[in-house]
């Protein structure tokens, strides 16, 4: 059961933010909410500012608003997704297995995250700039990953792959990553 931090104190004005992406595994809807509790009179101007800003938003995400209602009032278990045979379990395992099979790629299995953070061996893949690397992957293979430094990683040897696409899509994408890395190895080997 999820406990909203705002409900733990009634003498301090508190705001808790939440959303569909992490808590209800509906990434991409870009919908969230906030919950205020405590002595709201102490934050009257702040709340007025929030209301003004929220009213300026002209195009609400209508499908996501329906998902929010279901998320807050509907069935809340993730168990069938994370067991063998479950969608998240199978996607995570396929992504890990396929990435691990690529020469020079080291990746730890995700325990609860919806992404993997592979490391590319710098002796095999001498990447000078990870942002350029992922842009080139996108340009050549039409596969979007995030560069490691975008997550405050200290070197250029990592990228982040989200494991939420269907198993077939992950298989296709990781095959494209493997092809891209093979061509990267070939260029370095010739140098």
């Amino acid at each position: 059961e999820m406990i909203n931090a705002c409900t733990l104190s009634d003498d301090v004005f508190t705001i808790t933010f939440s959303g569909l992406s992490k808590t209800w595994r509906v990434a991409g809807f870009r919908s969230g909410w906030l919950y205020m509790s405590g002595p709201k009179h102490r934050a009257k101007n702040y709340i007025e500012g929030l209301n003004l800003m929220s009213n300026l938003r002209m195009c609400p995400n209508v499908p996501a608003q329906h998902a929010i209602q279901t998320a807050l009032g509907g069935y809340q278990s993730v168990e069938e997704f994370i067991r063998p045979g479950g969608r998240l379990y199978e996607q995570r395992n396929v992504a890990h297995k396929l990435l691990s099979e690529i020469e020079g790629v080291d990746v730890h299995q995700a325990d609860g995250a919806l992404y993997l953070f592979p490391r590319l061996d710098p002796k095999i893949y001498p990447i000078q700039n990870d942002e350029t690397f992922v842009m080139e992957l996108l340009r050549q293979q039409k596969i979007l990953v995030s560069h490691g430094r975008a997550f405050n990683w200290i070197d250029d040897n990592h990228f982040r792959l989200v494991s939420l696409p269907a198993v077939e899509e992950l298989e296709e994408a990781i095959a494209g990553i493997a092809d891209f890395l093979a061509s990267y190895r070939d260029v370095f080997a010739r140098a």
Side-chain angles (χ1 to χ4, degrees):
E1 179 182 340
M2 189 171 16
I3 297 174
N4 205 321
C6 287
T7 64
L8 301 176
S9 172
D10 59 2
D11 61 339
V12 176
F13 176 70
T14 308
I15 299 177
T16 301
F17 294 89
S18 192
L20 293 176
S21 294
K22 302 288 188 226
T23 308
W24 282 276
R25 300 156 310 282
V26 188
F29 274 61
R30 302 292 183 238
S31 291
W33 54 91
L34 60 88
Y35 182 85
M36 293 183 273
S37 67
K40 295 181 192 115
H41 66 278
R42 292 184 182 164
K44 182 180 178 202
N45 290 339
Y46 181 75
I47 294 170
E48 286 176 8
L50 288 175
N51 284 328
L52 176 64
M53 287 174 46
S54 66
N55 288 329
L56 293 174
R57 179 83 177 144
M58 302 299 287
C59 302
N61 183 338
V62 175
Q65 290 180 32
H66 292 288
I68 290 170
Q69 189 282 325
T70 301
L72 293 177
Y75 180 64
Q76 302 295 330
S77 179
V78 70
E79 289 303 316
E80 65 266 16
F81 295 112
I82 61 173
R83 282 184 254 186
R87 182 175 62 84
L88 296 175
Y89 179 89
E90 298 302 328
Q91 291 163 190
R92 176 197 72 159
N93 287 352
V94 163
H96 179 263
K97 175 185 178 292
L98 295 175
L99 286 167
S100 296
E101 291 173 353
I102 302 171
E103 181 184 351
V105 175
D106 180 36
V107 60
H108 295 281
Q109 181 62 286
D111 290 326
L114 301 174
Y115 59 87
L116 297 165
F117 203 63
R119 177 187 179 272
L120 302 175
D121 184 339
K123 294 176 183 152
I124 298 173
Y125 307 104
I127 298 167
Q128 300 300 312
N129 183 307
D130 61 350
E131 188 172 357
T132 301
F133 173 82
V134 299
M135 290 304 292
E136 195 60 26
L137 174 63
L138 178 61
R139 190 181 70 70
Q140 289 184 29
Q141 294 288 332
K142 309 299 185 258
I143 298 167
L144 179 62
V145 298
S146 299
H147 62 291
R149 285 184 303 117
F151 298 93
N152 296 318
W153 198 253
I154 57 173
D155 61 41
D156 292 290
N157 302 327
H158 290 76
F159 66 93
R160 182 181 190 224
L161 174 86
V162 175
S163 60
L164 285 172
V167 166
E168 299 78 24
E169 293 170 344
L170 285 167
E171 290 170 340
E172 182 180 339
I174 295 171
I177 292 170
D179 289 345
F180 179 77
L181 290 173
S183 67
Y184 208 89
R185 285 191 311 267
D186 290 346
V187 168
F188 181 67
R190 282 184 255 141

